[in-house]
Amino acid sequence: MAIFYDEEQRIFHLQTQESSYVMQVIRDKYLSHLYWGRRVEQYRGSRAIIWKDRGFAPNPDDTDRTFSLDTLPQEYPQTGNGDFRTCAYGVRQESGSRISSLLYDGYEIRPGKGKLQGLPASFGGPEDVDTLVIYLRDALIGLVVELEYNVFDRRGIITRSVRFVNESQCPLTLTKMLSMSVDFREQDFDVLTLYGAHNNERNMDRRPLTSGIVQIESLRGTSSPQQSPFLALMRKNADEDQGEVYGVQFVYSGNFLASAQVDAFQNVRVQMGLHPWNGEWYLHPGETFQTPEVVMAYTHEGLNGLSHLFHIFYRNHLMRGKHANALRPILINNWEATFFQFTEEKLLELARKAAETGIELFVLDDGWFGHRDGDNSSLGDWFVDQRKLPHGLPWLADQIHGMGMQFGLWFEPEMISQDSQLYREHPDYALHAQGRPYTIGRGQLVLDLSRKDVCDHVIDSVRAILANTDIDYVKWDMNRHLTEVESGAYAPYQQGEIAHRYVLGLYYILETLTSEFPDILFEGCSSGGGRFDAGMLYYMPQSWCSDNTDAVCRMKIQYATSLTFPPVTMGAHVSVVPNQQTGRVTPLETRGYVAMSANFGYELDLNALSQQELDEVKAQISLYKEIRDTVQNGTLYRIKNPFDGNLAQWNFVSQDKQHVVAFHFEILSQPAAPVQLLKLKGLEVDALYRDVDRGTVYGGDELMYAGISIPLKKQDFRSECYRFEKV
């Protein structure tokens, strides 16, 4: 059991191999947060709350001016009754009152973990996880709030979610429904977030916490490339390998809010959950509302330590199905080779060349359906364009399989084009605001997935293709964000629910299709990495990391993505130069090594390559097949951060500790350049390691502490790969 309750002190102690999380019921009413950090064997009260009369801090008990909700470290803070910091939830009664007071009303501890209805969430049996539910109640309005804590003690992870129950005889409207809140009684942190844009996803932003609030959010209907639903607090001295780091990540694919607020007394309140703007939920008497889950990780071993916790946890307790821990095939995607202009013969010509190089999966991207010759038509018409594919998809799939490769197909099922048969028959299927013009994005509209009939239409359309064609892989794309988020299928008082209902509809579709077709490898995509989140990972064990395939940009994108997501989840392709996103010309070797650091593939016209380039491609594919298990199933150690300078370095260690792969990149050649060192990580100090390509043998301590001298070379965008085997 990883959850302990001291009845006398009314203290809850949640304990993992890495951490302790401690709460206490104060004055028989108030659930207070005491400690989250490095594991302690038993909490005996050292971190006691110091009570003090603070000016302008109101008191629920007028006989004790030292006690105020405005200074109390709380587990799930409310608003309107004396706490002026950010609240964790909001509720509006029919009278219009927004005042609520949640008081402690009991607890339950049980082994294992249940599902969250309609939502992706971590999973585990009684041997993996214990669950604590703490009940809070506002007796005046009949609202019960259930705080759920799931303790994965062997994984060093705690997850949190919240369930609201309307036990009154009147409707209630939830106006804010966060999934977690933690009050730290100290301020000495930096905050780390990931920001970006299309083609520039997940830049690392580390800044000191100061008075006020740091807030990240998405109001785009998806988790978005602009801000990732991740936030970490780091001690000032924390780096990749040492120092305390607290990380939280949202298992959700829609609008979110995450914040770190420093109050007047240098306490920090960290919160995460659904975004309250346009995010209300109407609860009839007897109804419930379930929030998505937040994954919480603590380590004293820096960002690499944090990543290892997230990577192992996601691979064992979030990613599902036969593909979760299976080796991924090396693929070629036809998009940058042909765009919309392809024929059967052109595809087969590309496929034949791919098979010759050793590629294992051929993916047909956009343009195979309706009359899709550009991005402004046919979305929703999931039937084959006979002009381009006169023999149909099943025939094409058979041809590809006959070459010894798997066959994959692109869809964008959440969208609808105005120039489509579906729109002409069902214009009401599109999200729209009655009486207002549509806002168009990328020449397309968004289907109203808050409606079950629309979701069922999507399921039936995709199912018809998957059931009648031998398909091994699906790329699921989503290329615009949500506007006019209203639905005529719901009452006026429910319009604030549509953004969340859209995401629930998406999850219903994905649950249905991935369950019906368990042998298909699904990959998520949103114009690249625009919806690379833990919620999608539950259904699709990999995502296209970015439409930006430039090797230099990808060093940063993949580096930052790996903070929480394992390399096997990151699609990474070699493309042509000059790169179509940046115009940069980088060596094929460097493009290959960067892409080999994740889930490897190609996105170019192999028939346009020289024989020398084709030979290099074959060598890359052969190399990746040798190192694939180490990269995809091993442990990643980040060494040099490309956001900090001219270098990028990382290495992988296989699960059995027998194999090591390391990469070194120098972005720009420097005059009078110093000799650079590559100091590996994660090796056994007393073991010997043989350089596979050079034959020399080194000690693990030597490779980690002294490091490898990198030969000087006058070349921009240079790269080196080192492989070692334990002797």
Side-chain angles (χ1 to χ4, degrees):
M1 181 64 71
I3 300 169
F4 306 93
Y5 180 60
D6 183 332
E7 185 71 47
E8 182 178 350
Q9 299 295 323
R10 310 199 79 175
I11 289 177
F12 296 94
H13 185 177
L14 285 54
Q15 197 173 64
T16 79
Q17 289 184 353
E18 293 273 341
S19 62
S20 286
Y21 190 102
V22 184
M23 301 169 282
Q24 185 175 24
V25 180
I26 303 293
R27 301 194 174 196
D28 297 327
K29 296 181 180 180
Y30 305 105
L31 185 62
S32 177
H33 180 80
L34 296 183
Y35 173 69
W36 180 28
R38 192 164 181 171
R39 175 187 167 113
V40 296
E41 287 304 312
Q42 184 176 345
Y43 178 77
R44 294 182 172 89
S46 65
R47 200 180 180 89
I49 299 172
I50 303 300
W51 306 107
K52 182 176 177 56
D53 181 2
R54 300 285 193 181
F56 290 96
N59 317 110
D61 179 359
D62 63 2
T63 66
D64 183 1
R65 293 182 57 173
T66 68
F67 182 81
S68 174
L69 297 182
D70 198 34
T71 57
L72 180 70
Q74 297 187 66
E75 272 299 300
Y76 205 66
Q78 49 226 285
T79 186
N81 52 7
D83 188 345
F84 297 105
R85 297 165 291 180
T86 57
C87 60
Y89 79 102
V91 60
R92 184 175 65 245
Q93 303 167 52
E94 279 198 308
S95 66
S97 173
R98 296 173 179 263
I99 311 302
S100 177
S101 181
L102 292 177
L103 303 180
Y104 176 75
D105 193 39
Y107 74 96
E108 178 184 358
I109 298 175
R110 55 179 179 259
K113 180 181 187 293
K115 292 185 176 182
L116 300 187
Q117 185 175 5
L119 290 165
S122 59
F123 53 83
E127 70 281 4
D128 302 309
V129 56
D130 293 310
T131 295
L132 167 68
V133 179
I134 295 180
Y135 299 93
L136 306 178
R137 181 183 298 272
D138 186 328
L140 182 64
I141 65 174
L143 176 65
V144 174
V145 175
E146 302 173 3
L147 307 182
E148 182 168 318
Y149 302 77
N150 310 112
V151 184
F152 293 81
D153 57 331
R154 291 185 296 113
R155 304 300 186 190
I157 294 289
I158 297 171
T159 69
R160 287 186 61 176
S161 62
V162 178
R163 185 170 177 262
F164 294 87
V165 184
N166 182 2
E167 292 190 348
S168 76
Q169 301 302 310
C170 300
L172 297 171
T173 300
L174 301 175
T175 60
K176 188 176 186 180
M177 310 86 84
L178 300 187
S179 294
M180 60 80 67
S181 182
V182 177
D183 284 353
F184 293 85
R185 283 178 285 153
E186 50 190 320
Q187 183 195 348
D188 190 26
F189 295 107
D190 289 341
V191 60
L192 175 67
T193 60
L194 304 176
Y195 74 94
H198 175 231
N199 283 334
N200 187 29
E201 296 89 344
R202 286 175 296 286
N203 295 276
M204 296 174 66
D205 184 4
R206 180 174 179 174
R207 49 191 146 156
L209 276 180
T210 59
S211 61
I213 189 167
V214 173
Q215 179 171 301
I216 60 171
E217 63 186 7
S218 177
L219 282 168
R220 295 171 170 266
T222 75
S223 45
S224 88
Q226 280 69 26
Q227 293 287 350
S228 293
F230 162 79
L231 182 148
L233 294 187
M234 304 177 63
R235 296 295 184 185
K236 299 293 185 180
N237 67 336
D239 56 25
E240 282 287 2
D241 301 303
Q242 61 85 36
E244 289 191 309
V245 184
Y246 301 79
V248 293
Q249 187 158 44
F250 205 23
V251 187
Y252 188 65
S253 309
N255 294 339
F256 76 91
L257 176 74
S259 63
Q261 181 185 34
V262 180
D263 71 12
F265 308 110
Q266 298 185 9
N267 305 302
V268 179
R269 174 167 288 177
V270 175
Q271 297 181 323
M272 178 172 279
L274 296 168
H275 203 295
W277 176 252
N278 197 27
E280 295 185 343
W281 197 271
Y282 190 84
L283 277 183
H284 290 280
E287 288 186 339
T288 64
F289 180 83
Q290 175 67 58
T291 74
E293 184 174 65
V294 171
V295 178
M296 304 168 59
Y298 162 84
T299 182
H300 62 276
E301 297 179 344
L303 289 174
N304 269 316
L306 184 77
S307 296
H308 297 161
L309 291 176
F310 275 113
H311 292 186
I312 293 172
F313 181 70
Y314 285 163
R315 296 194 65 154
N316 290 278
H317 299 287
L318 187 67
M319 297 162 62
R320 304 179 300 164
K322 63 180 289 184
H323 298 288
N325 290 294
L327 293 178
R328 308 297 164 74
I330 301 170
L331 67 80
I332 185 165
N333 185 300
N334 76 297
W335 178 245
E336 290 194 15
T338 67
F339 296 100
F340 292 107
Q341 289 73 48
F342 59 81
T343 63
E344 279 181 347
E345 184 50 41
K346 195 169 185 179
L347 295 176
L348 292 175
E349 184 182 357
L350 179 61
R352 283 189 285 267
K353 186 67 71 173
E356 291 174 11
T357 65
I359 286 173
E360 301 159 322
L361 167 63
F362 181 89
V363 180
L364 173 56
D365 209 278
D366 196 356
W368 58 267
F369 53 92
H371 57 278
R372 179 88 162 167
D373 296 321
D375 59 13
N376 59 354
S377 78
S378 302
L379 290 172
D381 293 348
W382 299 111
F383 47 83
V384 173
D385 185 349
Q386 296 290 334
R387 300 172 305 155
K388 297 179 181 178
L389 303 175
H391 291 93
L393 279 176
W395 180 87
L396 179 62
D398 289 344
Q399 298 301 305
I400 301 298
H401 288 130
M403 299 177 193
M405 292 187 294
Q406 297 177 320
F407 178 66
L409 193 62
W410 179 96
F411 288 89
E412 193 175 358
E414 299 164 64
M415 300 294 148
I416 183 171
S417 301
Q418 288 178 295
D419 180 9
S420 69
Q421 179 178 314
L422 179 61
Y423 183 81
R424 286 186 285 273
E425 294 175 357
H426 294 285
D428 59 306
Y429 276 14
L431 277 176
H432 66 283
Q434 192 67 34
R436 295 188 181 277
Y438 290 115
T439 299
I440 306 297
R442 196 177 175 262
Q444 61 198 57
L445 302 173
V446 184
L447 286 171
D448 183 358
L449 299 190
S450 71
R451 292 173 48 174
K452 187 175 183 300
D453 59 336
V454 176
C455 292
D456 288 337
H457 173 83
V458 171
I459 291 170
D460 291 342
S461 299
V462 176
R463 177 193 285 136
I465 296 292
L466 301 184
N468 292 290
T469 305
D470 190 2
I471 292 175
D472 305 285
Y473 160 104
V474 165
K475 179 180 178 182
W476 187 290
D477 213 341
M478 196 269 196
N479 287 314
R480 66 152 289 184
H481 293 146
L482 278 56
T483 55
E484 288 79 57
V485 186
E486 294 184 9
S487 176
Y490 292 89
Y493 60 81
Q494 293 180 288
Q495 294 306 308
E497 304 173 5
I498 305 306
H500 182 53
R501 286 189 181 275
Y502 177 94
V503 181
L504 294 179
L506 171 63
Y507 290 155
Y508 162 65
I509 293 170
L510 296 180
E511 180 69 30
T512 302
L513 291 173
T514 57
S515 298
E516 288 188 18
F517 300 96
D519 293 331
I520 293 178
L521 171 61
F522 284 83
E523 177 175 277
C525 179
S526 179
S527 284
R531 193 167 57 185
F532 200 141
D533 60 60
M536 295 301 289
L537 201 63
Y538 181 77
Y539 304 101
M540 303 182 179
Q542 62 189 56
S543 282
W544 179 224
C545 209
S546 176
D547 280 348
N548 186 346
T549 52
D550 173 72
V552 175
C553 294
R554 273 305 192 99
M555 292 176 198
K556 293 181 177 180
I557 293 170
Q558 292 170 206
Y559 194 96
T561 303
S562 75
L563 284 175
T564 57
F565 295 111
V568 71
T569 67
M570 295 187 275
H573 297 172
V574 176
S575 63
V576 298
V577 291
N579 180 266
Q580 293 181 359
Q581 289 78 39
T582 66
R584 194 171 2 244
V585 176
T586 54
L588 181 55
E589 178 183 72
T590 299
R591 284 175 274 155
Y593 286 161
V594 171
M596 284 186 212
S597 301
N599 194 346
F600 185 52
Y602 290 86
E603 194 151 345
L604 44 71
D605 188 353
L606 293 170
N607 290 296
L609 300 183
S610 68
Q611 187 58 50
Q612 180 180 351
E613 290 171 322
L614 274 175
D615 290 341
E616 189 169 351
V617 166
K618 292 177 182 179
Q620 288 180 347
I621 291 170
S622 177
L623 172 61
Y624 190 71
K625 288 178 179 178
E626 293 182 28
I627 68 174
R628 171 164 45 187
D629 184 65
T630 300
V631 171
Q632 294 187 2
N633 290 328
T635 302
L636 167 67
Y637 294 87
R638 293 180 300 272
I639 303 172
K640 288 290 186 180
N641 187 340
F643 291 96
D644 292 341
N646 196 47
L647 301 181
Q649 295 176 342
W650 47 76
N651 72 264
F652 303 85
V653 179
S654 64
Q655 284 188 350
D656 62 8
K657 312 295 184 184
Q658 299 299 305
H659 304 279
V660 180
V661 180
F663 293 101
H664 166 87
F665 304 95
E666 292 183 42
I667 299 170
L668 292 179
S669 181
Q670 303 291 325
V675 174
Q676 300 294 344
L677 297 174
L678 172 61
K679 296 182 178 181
L680 304 186
K681 297 179 181 180
L683 279 60
E684 295 180 21
V685 172
D686 299 328
L688 294 176
Y689 294 87
R690 181 179 65 87
D691 187 322
V692 173
D693 299 305
R694 300 160 185 87
T696 49
V697 175
Y698 305 101
D701 53 356
E702 184 181 3
L703 290 172
M704 290 192 294
Y705 306 151
I708 303 167
S709 295
I710 305 296
L712 292 169
K713 186 182 293 186
K714 296 179 180 179
Q715 176 189 331
D716 287 341
F717 319 124
R718 68 166 293 195
S719 59
E720 302 289 340
C721 174
Y722 293 87
R723 293 185 291 159
F724 297 93
E725 290 180 345
K726 186 177 174 183
V727 178

